[in-house]
Amino acid sequence: MTDKDTRESPVTSTHDNLSDKENLVHTEEKSRVPLFNEHVDVSGINERKLIRKLDLRLIPWLSLLYLLSFLDRTSIGNAKLYNLEKDLKMTDKQYLMALTIFFFSYSIFEVPSNVFLKRLRPSIWLSLLMLLWGIMMTVQGLVHNYGGLLGMRWMLGTFEAGLFPGVNYYLSCWYKRSEFGIRAAIFFSAATVSGAFGGLLAAAISNMEGIGGKPAWAWIFIIEGLATVLAGAASFWIIQDFPDTAKFLTEEERTFVIRRLQSDDQFSAAGEQLKWKYIYKSLVDWKTWLGMLAYCGSDMPLYAFSLFLPSIISQVGFKATPANLLTVPVYAFACLITCLVGFAADHYGRRGYFNLVFLCIGGAGYIILVASRNPTLSYVAVYLAACGIYPIIPNTVAWVSNNVEGSYKRSVSLAMVISLGNINGAVSSNVYRARDQPWYRLGHGLVLMYVGIGIIASTTYLLLLRAENARRDRGERDEVIKGVEGGDPKNGIFDSVEDAKREKGDEWSGYRYTL
């Protein structure tokens, strides 16, 4: 065995030839890192059955929460079709500002929220956030002027900020890197379902016009807000905490979950103390900043799409309720594609290539929207745009998560990536101006520009990751391990492989990045 072999990771790829159980058995021998709960026998655990158990306890409820979250933030687009602007005596610029202000508070509070999530129990933190934003959503239906709407939109963004980055980080603490993508896609597909469901719900709630002296748009906010309040209250008992304390698992199952994560180069799975250096490492990591740009390339188009799709359809020949109903098949198609891409990216492990292919498809859709003057052609192009935008959101999140090790570093990196993407929602809120209707050439053109940014950033990220993996394959990043010949002192000197893993995280020479 060569010197390099003694430092090699037990799992350097998401597609290792060894089975997961074999990796768990040989982890200690190969990496010389002690097993978590070494005294616990996990030989009787059925891995497939355990993963199915995790999926059923985690994914459905979290997806429902995100459905409600996305429904609450975007329902203002449906409410606009039912005289929101007229009743609150708002101009088009004021309406756009009401959309914009949400994204400022939403982006500001994402990073601190993820740190709080790691420090506190997810069952407490996520439930509290949801309860509070549900109250803000309900009160949004009681406002009587533009100022009141602005205040509620700010508060809505503040409390919704923690859910999406928090849940993505939370899921990354339960699943291997090759399993995370499809779970993130299913979770995010709730956004596409909310788009379809939102149109149907808004059309149904509009029949409450005049009840209790309230207009249809107010009832949309009130009914959806009360549903969120109830879900937030129930979440305290339904949301599970991290794997090492999960009450629905036995000690053997908790041990097995953590060992399989550690075999997947997630060395911090058994727990990690908060140190400011982990947060600093995230701030100075080039992967964080390129991930932010790649995410911007799909997140700004996402918000522009979801906020203005009803208006876009209504302006090419359809009234309020038909326009809302015509959004349903678009979102259903986006949901299907999102899940298929998540499954395929997990299976093939080439997330960067999926990003590039589907961003190009989305770009083609927006090129058609810019050039088209035919309502039918524009409606068809909307499907291409949805196909190119929605799958890339969870795929980019999974890609960034796959390439960051260290629980605190990963939580901050994910929050930063998602935060910058969401601040660009403020841009998307202002590009579809009333004076540009019915074809919205400026809005479509700016979205197309962001898609181009996503393509450039994803390509750069992919090439740099590939180059770094090649350097590690050549041994250029090898550390000096005391008692083992070889290595370069400039890469660090450590007493053991375990120390190198713990201190360097994804910078450790045995760690391989997901392309």
Side-chain angles (χ1 to χ4, degrees), residues 110-142:
E110 283 184 312
V111 174
S113 179
N114 253 23
V115 175
F116 277 117
L117 176 67
K118 176 61 182 172
R119 294 286 290 172
L120 300 174
R121 291 166 51 192
S123 58
I124 295 176
W125 184 244
L126 294 179
S127 301
L128 178 62
L129 289 178
M130 190 167 191
L131 185 66
L132 291 173
W133 99 59
I135 293 173
M136 296 304 107
M137 180 67 180
T138 304
V139 175
Q140 190 172 280
L142 305 177

PDB file of all heavy atoms in Angstrom, residues 110-142:
ATOM      1  N   GLU A 110     -31.724  35.128   6.358  1.00  0.00           N
ATOM      2  CA  GLU A 110     -31.495  33.724   6.040  1.00  0.00           C
ATOM      3  C   GLU A 110     -30.252  33.149   6.714  1.00  0.00           C
ATOM      4  O   GLU A 110     -30.287  32.047   7.275  1.00  0.00           O
ATOM      5  CB  GLU A 110     -31.431  33.533   4.516  1.00  0.00           C
ATOM      6  CG  GLU A 110     -32.801  33.557   3.877  1.00  0.00           C
ATOM      7  CD  GLU A 110     -32.764  33.282   2.388  1.00  0.00           C
ATOM      8  OE1 GLU A 110     -31.943  33.912   1.690  1.00  0.00           O
ATOM      9  OE2 GLU A 110     -33.554  32.456   1.924  1.00  0.00           O
ATOM     10  N   VAL A 111     -29.137  33.864   6.658  1.00  0.00           N
ATOM     11  CA  VAL A 111     -27.900  33.344   7.254  1.00  0.00           C
ATOM     12  C   VAL A 111     -28.020  33.213   8.771  1.00  0.00           C
ATOM     13  O   VAL A 111     -27.739  32.137   9.325  1.00  0.00           O
ATOM     14  CB  VAL A 111     -26.689  34.205   6.863  1.00  0.00           C
ATOM     15  CG1 VAL A 111     -25.446  33.744   7.618  1.00  0.00           C
ATOM     16  CG2 VAL A 111     -26.443  34.138   5.352  1.00  0.00           C
ATOM     17  N   PRO A 112     -28.441  34.262   9.504  1.00  0.00           N
ATOM     18  CA  PRO A 112     -28.582  34.076  10.959  1.00  0.00           C
ATOM     19  C   PRO A 112     -29.594  33.001  11.325  1.00  0.00           C
ATOM     20  O   PRO A 112     -29.425  32.295  12.323  1.00  0.00           O
ATOM     21  CB  PRO A 112     -29.028  35.462  11.465  1.00  0.00           C
ATOM     22  CG  PRO A 112     -29.446  36.227  10.260  1.00  0.00           C
ATOM     23  CD  PRO A 112     -28.695  35.664   9.113  1.00  0.00           C
ATOM     24  N   SER A 113     -30.644  32.841  10.512  1.00  0.00           N
ATOM     25  CA  SER A 113     -31.634  31.816  10.807  1.00  0.00           C
ATOM     26  C   SER A 113     -31.032  30.424  10.741  1.00  0.00           C
ATOM     27  O   SER A 113     -31.341  29.563  11.576  1.00  0.00           O
ATOM     28  CB  SER A 113     -32.820  31.925   9.832  1.00  0.00           C
ATOM     29  OG  SER A 113     -33.773  30.919  10.098  1.00  0.00           O
ATOM     30  N   ASN A 114     -30.143  30.187   9.777  1.00  0.00           N
ATOM     31  CA  ASN A 114     -29.530  28.863   9.665  1.00  0.00           C
ATOM     32  C   ASN A 114     -28.594  28.569  10.837  1.00  0.00           C
ATOM     33  O   ASN A 114     -28.468  27.425  11.272  1.00  0.00           O
ATOM     34  CB  ASN A 114     -28.772  28.736   8.338  1.00  0.00           C
ATOM     35  CG  ASN A 114     -29.503  27.831   7.363  1.00  0.00           C
ATOM     36  OD1 ASN A 114     -30.709  27.647   7.468  1.00  0.00           O
ATOM     37  ND2 ASN A 114     -28.779  27.261   6.424  1.00  0.00           N
ATOM     38  N   VAL A 115     -27.924  29.597  11.330  1.00  0.00           N
ATOM     39  CA  VAL A 115     -27.069  29.404  12.512  1.00  0.00           C
ATOM     40  C   VAL A 115     -27.940  29.070  13.722  1.00  0.00           C
ATOM     41  O   VAL A 115     -27.619  28.172  14.511  1.00  0.00           O
ATOM     42  CB  VAL A 115     -26.210  30.657  12.776  1.00  0.00           C
ATOM     43  CG1 VAL A 115     -25.415  30.486  14.072  1.00  0.00           C
ATOM     44  CG2 VAL A 115     -25.263  30.913  11.606  1.00  0.00           C
ATOM     45  N   PHE A 116     -29.073  29.768  13.874  1.00  0.00           N
ATOM     46  CA  PHE A 116     -29.992  29.476  14.973  1.00  0.00           C
ATOM     47  C   PHE A 116     -30.547  28.058  14.862  1.00  0.00           C
ATOM     48  O   PHE A 116     -30.721  27.363  15.860  1.00  0.00           O
ATOM     49  CB  PHE A 116     -31.146  30.481  15.000  1.00  0.00           C
ATOM     50  CG  PHE A 116     -30.822  31.768  15.692  1.00  0.00           C
ATOM     51  CD1 PHE A 116     -30.831  32.964  14.999  1.00  0.00           C
ATOM     52  CD2 PHE A 116     -30.503  31.778  17.041  1.00  0.00           C
ATOM     53  CE1 PHE A 116     -30.531  34.152  15.641  1.00  0.00           C
ATOM     54  CE2 PHE A 116     -30.199  32.962  17.695  1.00  0.00           C
ATOM     55  CZ  PHE A 116     -30.215  34.161  16.987  1.00  0.00           C
ATOM     56  N   LEU A 117     -30.832  27.634  13.638  1.00  0.00           N
ATOM     57  CA  LEU A 117     -31.378  26.290  13.437  1.00  0.00           C
ATOM     58  C   LEU A 117     -30.409  25.231  13.931  1.00  0.00           C
ATOM     59  O   LEU A 117     -30.813  24.231  14.536  1.00  0.00           O
ATOM     60  CB  LEU A 117     -31.682  26.062  11.951  1.00  0.00           C
ATOM     61  CG  LEU A 117     -32.181  24.657  11.575  1.00  0.00           C
ATOM     62  CD1 LEU A 117     -33.548  24.399  12.180  1.00  0.00           C
ATOM     63  CD2 LEU A 117     -32.223  24.488  10.073  1.00  0.00           C
ATOM     64  N   LYS A 118     -29.122  25.446  13.666  1.00  0.00           N
ATOM     65  CA  LYS A 118     -28.115  24.486  14.107  1.00  0.00           C
ATOM     66  C   LYS A 118     -27.974  24.506  15.624  1.00  0.00           C
ATOM     67  O   LYS A 118     -27.784  23.469  16.258  1.00  0.00           O
ATOM     68  CB  LYS A 118     -26.767  24.815  13.433  1.00  0.00           C
ATOM     69  CG  LYS A 118     -25.614  23.922  13.888  1.00  0.00           C
ATOM     70  CD  LYS A 118     -25.875  22.466  13.562  1.00  0.00           C
ATOM     71  CE  LYS A 118     -24.730  21.595  14.063  1.00  0.00           C
ATOM     72  NZ  LYS A 118     -25.022  20.163  13.931  1.00  0.00           N
ATOM     73  N   ARG A 119     -28.089  25.696  16.220  1.00  0.00           N
ATOM     74  CA  ARG A 119     -27.937  25.814  17.663  1.00  0.00           C
ATOM     75  C   ARG A 119     -29.173  25.342  18.420  1.00  0.00           C
ATOM     76  O   ARG A 119     -29.076  24.854  19.544  1.00  0.00           O
ATOM     77  CB  ARG A 119     -27.640  27.278  18.036  1.00  0.00           C
ATOM     78  CG  ARG A 119     -26.311  27.786  17.536  1.00  0.00           C
ATOM     79  CD  ARG A 119     -25.154  27.222  18.331  1.00  0.00           C
ATOM     80  NE  ARG A 119     -25.096  27.769  19.685  1.00  0.00           N
ATOM     81  CZ  ARG A 119     -24.274  27.338  20.620  1.00  0.00           C
ATOM     82  NH1 ARG A 119     -23.438  26.343  20.351  1.00  0.00           N
ATOM     83  NH2 ARG A 119     -24.275  27.877  21.823  1.00  0.00           N
ATOM     84  N   LEU A 120     -30.356  25.533  17.825  1.00  0.00           N
ATOM     85  CA  LEU A 120     -31.605  25.156  18.475  1.00  0.00           C
ATOM     86  C   LEU A 120     -32.169  23.886  17.848  1.00  0.00           C
ATOM     87  O   LEU A 120     -31.646  23.368  16.868  1.00  0.00           O
ATOM     88  CB  LEU A 120     -32.624  26.295  18.354  1.00  0.00           C
ATOM     89  CG  LEU A 120     -32.211  27.638  18.971  1.00  0.00           C
ATOM     90  CD1 LEU A 120     -33.258  28.679  18.640  1.00  0.00           C
ATOM     91  CD2 LEU A 120     -32.030  27.514  20.477  1.00  0.00           C
ATOM     92  N   ARG A 121     -33.269  23.408  18.389  1.00  0.00           N
ATOM     93  CA  ARG A 121     -33.934  22.241  17.815  1.00  0.00           C
ATOM     94  C   ARG A 121     -34.777  22.660  16.612  1.00  0.00           C
ATOM     95  O   ARG A 121     -35.544  23.619  16.688  1.00  0.00           O
ATOM     96  CB  ARG A 121     -34.832  21.601  18.872  1.00  0.00           C
ATOM     97  CG  ARG A 121     -34.091  20.947  20.008  1.00  0.00           C
ATOM     98  CD  ARG A 121     -35.017  20.641  21.173  1.00  0.00           C
ATOM     99  NE  ARG A 121     -36.203  19.917  20.754  1.00  0.00           N
ATOM    100  CZ  ARG A 121     -37.282  19.727  21.529  1.00  0.00           C
ATOM    101  NH1 ARG A 121     -37.295  20.224  22.746  1.00  0.00           N
ATOM    102  NH2 ARG A 121     -38.306  19.049  21.082  1.00  0.00           N
ATOM    103  N   PRO A 122     -34.660  21.956  15.471  1.00  0.00           N
ATOM    104  CA  PRO A 122     -35.476  22.291  14.305  1.00  0.00           C
ATOM    105  C   PRO A 122     -36.977  22.283  14.604  1.00  0.00           C
ATOM    106  O   PRO A 122     -37.722  23.094  14.060  1.00  0.00           O
ATOM    107  CB  PRO A 122     -35.113  21.186  13.299  1.00  0.00           C
ATOM    108  CG  PRO A 122     -33.742  20.768  13.685  1.00  0.00           C
ATOM    109  CD  PRO A 122     -33.690  20.884  15.182  1.00  0.00           C
ATOM    110  N   SER A 123     -37.413  21.371  15.477  1.00  0.00           N
ATOM    111  CA  SER A 123     -38.840  21.294  15.791  1.00  0.00           C
ATOM    112  C   SER A 123     -39.342  22.578  16.437  1.00  0.00           C
ATOM    113  O   SER A 123     -40.512  22.966  16.251  1.00  0.00           O
ATOM    114  CB  SER A 123     -39.120  20.104  16.710  1.00  0.00           C
ATOM    115  OG  SER A 123     -38.368  20.207  17.914  1.00  0.00           O
ATOM    116  N   ILE A 124     -38.476  23.264  17.174  1.00  0.00           N
ATOM    117  CA  ILE A 124     -38.867  24.528  17.809  1.00  0.00           C
ATOM    118  C   ILE A 124     -38.713  25.698  16.838  1.00  0.00           C
ATOM    119  O   ILE A 124     -39.636  26.488  16.638  1.00  0.00           O
ATOM    120  CB  ILE A 124     -38.023  24.785  19.075  1.00  0.00           C
ATOM    121  CG1 ILE A 124     -38.323  23.729  20.140  1.00  0.00           C
ATOM    122  CG2 ILE A 124     -38.288  26.184  19.633  1.00  0.00           C
ATOM    123  CD1 ILE A 124     -37.465  23.849  21.387  1.00  0.00           C
ATOM    124  N   TRP A 125     -37.556  25.800  16.222  1.00  0.00           N
ATOM    125  CA  TRP A 125     -37.253  26.969  15.402  1.00  0.00           C
ATOM    126  C   TRP A 125     -38.137  27.045  14.157  1.00  0.00           C
ATOM    127  O   TRP A 125     -38.741  28.093  13.873  1.00  0.00           O
ATOM    128  CB  TRP A 125     -35.777  26.950  15.004  1.00  0.00           C
ATOM    129  CG  TRP A 125     -35.342  28.160  14.226  1.00  0.00           C
ATOM    130  CD1 TRP A 125     -34.901  28.201  12.939  1.00  0.00           C
ATOM    131  CD2 TRP A 125     -35.291  29.514  14.693  1.00  0.00           C
ATOM    132  NE1 TRP A 125     -34.578  29.474  12.574  1.00  0.00           N
ATOM    133  CE2 TRP A 125     -34.814  30.308  13.629  1.00  0.00           C
ATOM    134  CE3 TRP A 125     -35.610  30.129  15.906  1.00  0.00           C
ATOM    135  CZ2 TRP A 125     -34.643  31.691  13.741  1.00  0.00           C
ATOM    136  CZ3 TRP A 125     -35.435  31.510  16.019  1.00  0.00           C
ATOM    137  CH2 TRP A 125     -34.962  32.266  14.948  1.00  0.00           C
ATOM    138  N   LEU A 126     -38.250  25.955  13.416  1.00  0.00           N
ATOM    139  CA  LEU A 126     -39.045  25.973  12.187  1.00  0.00           C
ATOM    140  C   LEU A 126     -40.534  26.153  12.493  1.00  0.00           C
ATOM    141  O   LEU A 126     -41.247  26.867  11.776  1.00  0.00           O
ATOM    142  CB  LEU A 126     -38.817  24.687  11.390  1.00  0.00           C
ATOM    143  CG  LEU A 126     -37.400  24.489  10.827  1.00  0.00           C
ATOM    144  CD1 LEU A 126     -37.301  23.155  10.086  1.00  0.00           C
ATOM    145  CD2 LEU A 126     -37.003  25.635   9.899  1.00  0.00           C
ATOM    146  N   SER A 127     -41.012  25.542  13.568  1.00  0.00           N
ATOM    147  CA  SER A 127     -42.422  25.683  13.937  1.00  0.00           C
ATOM    148  C   SER A 127     -42.748  27.118  14.329  1.00  0.00           C
ATOM    149  O   SER A 127     -43.800  27.658  13.957  1.00  0.00           O
ATOM    150  CB  SER A 127     -42.763  24.741  15.096  1.00  0.00           C
ATOM    151  OG  SER A 127     -42.513  23.398  14.752  1.00  0.00           O
ATOM    152  N   LEU A 128     -41.848  27.746  15.089  1.00  0.00           N
ATOM    153  CA  LEU A 128     -42.064  29.124  15.517  1.00  0.00           C
ATOM    154  C   LEU A 128     -42.095  30.068  14.320  1.00  0.00           C
ATOM    155  O   LEU A 128     -42.969  30.951  14.234  1.00  0.00           O
ATOM    156  CB  LEU A 128     -40.946  29.536  16.481  1.00  0.00           C
ATOM    157  CG  LEU A 128     -40.999  30.993  16.985  1.00  0.00           C
ATOM    158  CD1 LEU A 128     -42.275  31.236  17.775  1.00  0.00           C
ATOM    159  CD2 LEU A 128     -39.767  31.317  17.812  1.00  0.00           C
ATOM    160  N   LEU A 129     -41.151  29.887  13.396  1.00  0.00           N
ATOM    161  CA  LEU A 129     -41.132  30.734  12.208  1.00  0.00           C
ATOM    162  C   LEU A 129     -42.436  30.621  11.427  1.00  0.00           C
ATOM    163  O   LEU A 129     -43.004  31.624  10.983  1.00  0.00           O
ATOM    164  CB  LEU A 129     -39.956  30.338  11.303  1.00  0.00           C
ATOM    165  CG  LEU A 129     -38.549  30.685  11.787  1.00  0.00           C
ATOM    166  CD1 LEU A 129     -37.519  30.175  10.792  1.00  0.00           C
ATOM    167  CD2 LEU A 129     -38.390  32.182  11.996  1.00  0.00           C
ATOM    168  N   MET A 130     -42.906  29.400  11.279  1.00  0.00           N
ATOM    169  CA  MET A 130     -44.114  29.195  10.484  1.00  0.00           C
ATOM    170  C   MET A 130     -45.349  29.800  11.148  1.00  0.00           C
ATOM    171  O   MET A 130     -46.199  30.403  10.487  1.00  0.00           O
ATOM    172  CB  MET A 130     -44.309  27.699  10.248  1.00  0.00           C
ATOM    173  CG  MET A 130     -45.386  27.420   9.240  1.00  0.00           C
ATOM    174  SD  MET A 130     -45.352  25.720   8.695  1.00  0.00           S
ATOM    175  CE  MET A 130     -46.485  25.859   7.312  1.00  0.00           C
ATOM    176  N   LEU A 131     -45.446  29.630  12.443  1.00  0.00           N
ATOM    177  CA  LEU A 131     -46.565  30.206  13.182  1.00  0.00           C
ATOM    178  C   LEU A 131     -46.601  31.721  13.012  1.00  0.00           C
ATOM    179  O   LEU A 131     -47.664  32.321  12.766  1.00  0.00           O
ATOM    180  CB  LEU A 131     -46.445  29.832  14.659  1.00  0.00           C
ATOM    181  CG  LEU A 131     -47.588  30.256  15.576  1.00  0.00           C
ATOM    182  CD1 LEU A 131     -48.872  29.526  15.205  1.00  0.00           C
ATOM    183  CD2 LEU A 131     -47.230  29.999  17.028  1.00  0.00           C
ATOM    184  N   LEU A 132     -45.430  32.355  13.096  1.00  0.00           N
ATOM    185  CA  LEU A 132     -45.363  33.812  13.013  1.00  0.00           C
ATOM    186  C   LEU A 132     -45.663  34.322  11.603  1.00  0.00           C
ATOM    187  O   LEU A 132     -46.359  35.319  11.431  1.00  0.00           O
ATOM    188  CB  LEU A 132     -43.985  34.291  13.478  1.00  0.00           C
ATOM    189  CG  LEU A 132     -43.709  34.109  14.974  1.00  0.00           C
ATOM    190  CD1 LEU A 132     -42.261  34.441  15.300  1.00  0.00           C
ATOM    191  CD2 LEU A 132     -44.652  34.963  15.806  1.00  0.00           C
ATOM    192  N   TRP A 133     -45.134  33.628  10.565  1.00  0.00           N
ATOM    193  CA  TRP A 133     -45.435  34.137   9.228  1.00  0.00           C
ATOM    194  C   TRP A 133     -46.890  33.859   8.853  1.00  0.00           C
ATOM    195  O   TRP A 133     -47.489  34.607   8.072  1.00  0.00           O
ATOM    196  CB  TRP A 133     -44.437  33.654   8.186  1.00  0.00           C
ATOM    197  CG  TRP A 133     -44.832  32.478   7.336  1.00  0.00           C
ATOM    198  CD1 TRP A 133     -45.905  32.367   6.512  1.00  0.00           C
ATOM    199  CD2 TRP A 133     -44.104  31.239   7.201  1.00  0.00           C
ATOM    200  NE1 TRP A 133     -45.912  31.145   5.876  1.00  0.00           N
ATOM    201  CE2 TRP A 133     -44.821  30.440   6.270  1.00  0.00           C
ATOM    202  CE3 TRP A 133     -42.934  30.751   7.750  1.00  0.00           C
ATOM    203  CZ2 TRP A 133     -44.395  29.160   5.913  1.00  0.00           C
ATOM    204  CZ3 TRP A 133     -42.510  29.494   7.370  1.00  0.00           C
ATOM    205  CH2 TRP A 133     -43.235  28.708   6.480  1.00  0.00           C
ATOM    206  N   GLY A 134     -47.496  32.827   9.408  1.00  0.00           N
ATOM    207  CA  GLY A 134     -48.915  32.599   9.171  1.00  0.00           C
ATOM    208  C   GLY A 134     -49.764  33.733   9.727  1.00  0.00           C
ATOM    209  O   GLY A 134     -50.749  34.162   9.101  1.00  0.00           O
ATOM    210  N   ILE A 135     -49.372  34.235  10.894  1.00  0.00           N
ATOM    211  CA  ILE A 135     -50.081  35.373  11.480  1.00  0.00           C
ATOM    212  C   ILE A 135     -49.927  36.610  10.590  1.00  0.00           C
ATOM    213  O   ILE A 135     -50.894  37.342  10.333  1.00  0.00           O
ATOM    214  CB  ILE A 135     -49.554  35.655  12.904  1.00  0.00           C
ATOM    215  CG1 ILE A 135     -49.913  34.493  13.838  1.00  0.00           C
ATOM    216  CG2 ILE A 135     -50.123  36.972  13.437  1.00  0.00           C
ATOM    217  CD1 ILE A 135     -49.286  34.590  15.215  1.00  0.00           C
ATOM    218  N   MET A 136     -48.705  36.849  10.097  1.00  0.00           N
ATOM    219  CA  MET A 136     -48.469  37.998   9.217  1.00  0.00           C
ATOM    220  C   MET A 136     -49.290  37.884   7.931  1.00  0.00           C
ATOM    221  O   MET A 136     -49.838  38.872   7.443  1.00  0.00           O
ATOM    222  CB  MET A 136     -46.980  38.102   8.862  1.00  0.00           C
ATOM    223  CG  MET A 136     -46.057  38.367  10.035  1.00  0.00           C
ATOM    224  SD  MET A 136     -46.477  39.853  10.961  1.00  0.00           S
ATOM    225  CE  MET A 136     -47.163  39.132  12.466  1.00  0.00           C
ATOM    226  N   MET A 137     -49.390  36.675   7.396  1.00  0.00           N
ATOM    227  CA  MET A 137     -50.156  36.460   6.175  1.00  0.00           C
ATOM    228  C   MET A 137     -51.638  36.749   6.416  1.00  0.00           C
ATOM    229  O   MET A 137     -52.306  37.397   5.595  1.00  0.00           O
ATOM    230  CB  MET A 137     -49.964  35.007   5.714  1.00  0.00           C
ATOM    231  CG  MET A 137     -50.711  34.657   4.443  1.00  0.00           C
ATOM    232  SD  MET A 137     -50.053  35.538   3.015  1.00  0.00           S
ATOM    233  CE  MET A 137     -51.147  34.901   1.739  1.00  0.00           C
ATOM    234  N   THR A 138     -52.163  36.307   7.549  1.00  0.00           N
ATOM    235  CA  THR A 138     -53.573  36.545   7.867  1.00  0.00           C
ATOM    236  C   THR A 138     -53.855  38.033   8.005  1.00  0.00           C
ATOM    237  O   THR A 138     -54.847  38.554   7.450  1.00  0.00           O
ATOM    238  CB  THR A 138     -53.949  35.818   9.174  1.00  0.00           C
ATOM    239  OG1 THR A 138     -53.642  34.426   9.046  1.00  0.00           O
ATOM    240  CG2 THR A 138     -55.427  35.979   9.476  1.00  0.00           C
ATOM    241  N   VAL A 139     -52.984  38.733   8.721  1.00  0.00           N
ATOM    242  CA  VAL A 139     -53.170  40.174   8.932  1.00  0.00           C
ATOM    243  C   VAL A 139     -53.044  40.939   7.613  1.00  0.00           C
ATOM    244  O   VAL A 139     -53.653  42.001   7.437  1.00  0.00           O
ATOM    245  CB  VAL A 139     -52.146  40.693   9.967  1.00  0.00           C
ATOM    246  CG1 VAL A 139     -52.239  42.206  10.123  1.00  0.00           C
ATOM    247  CG2 VAL A 139     -52.362  40.015  11.318  1.00  0.00           C
ATOM    248  N   GLN A 140     -52.295  40.389   6.664  1.00  0.00           N
ATOM    249  CA  GLN A 140     -52.167  41.025   5.350  1.00  0.00           C
ATOM    250  C   GLN A 140     -53.525  41.187   4.681  1.00  0.00           C
ATOM    251  O   GLN A 140     -53.735  42.104   3.886  1.00  0.00           O
ATOM    252  CB  GLN A 140     -51.229  40.180   4.473  1.00  0.00           C
ATOM    253  CG  GLN A 140     -50.812  40.835   3.171  1.00  0.00           C
ATOM    254  CD  GLN A 140     -49.732  40.035   2.460  1.00  0.00           C
ATOM    255  OE1 GLN A 140     -48.567  40.111   2.801  1.00  0.00           O
ATOM    256  NE2 GLN A 140     -50.130  39.251   1.484  1.00  0.00           N
ATOM    257  N   GLY A 141     -54.466  40.283   5.003  1.00  0.00           N
ATOM    258  CA  GLY A 141     -55.809  40.391   4.450  1.00  0.00           C
ATOM    259  C   GLY A 141     -56.688  41.404   5.148  1.00  0.00           C
ATOM    260  O   GLY A 141     -57.828  41.631   4.731  1.00  0.00           O
ATOM    261  N   LEU A 142     -56.162  42.013   6.219  1.00  0.00           N
ATOM    262  CA  LEU A 142     -56.943  42.989   6.992  1.00  0.00           C
ATOM    263  C   LEU A 142     -56.475  44.424   6.772  1.00  0.00           C
ATOM    264  O   LEU A 142     -57.032  45.351   7.372  1.00  0.00           O
ATOM    265  CB  LEU A 142     -56.863  42.655   8.490  1.00  0.00           C
ATOM    266  CG  LEU A 142     -57.280  41.228   8.896  1.00  0.00           C
ATOM    267  CD1 LEU A 142     -57.091  41.022  10.394  1.00  0.00           C
ATOM    268  CD2 LEU A 142     -58.719  40.949   8.489  1.00  0.00           C
TER     269      LEU A 142
END
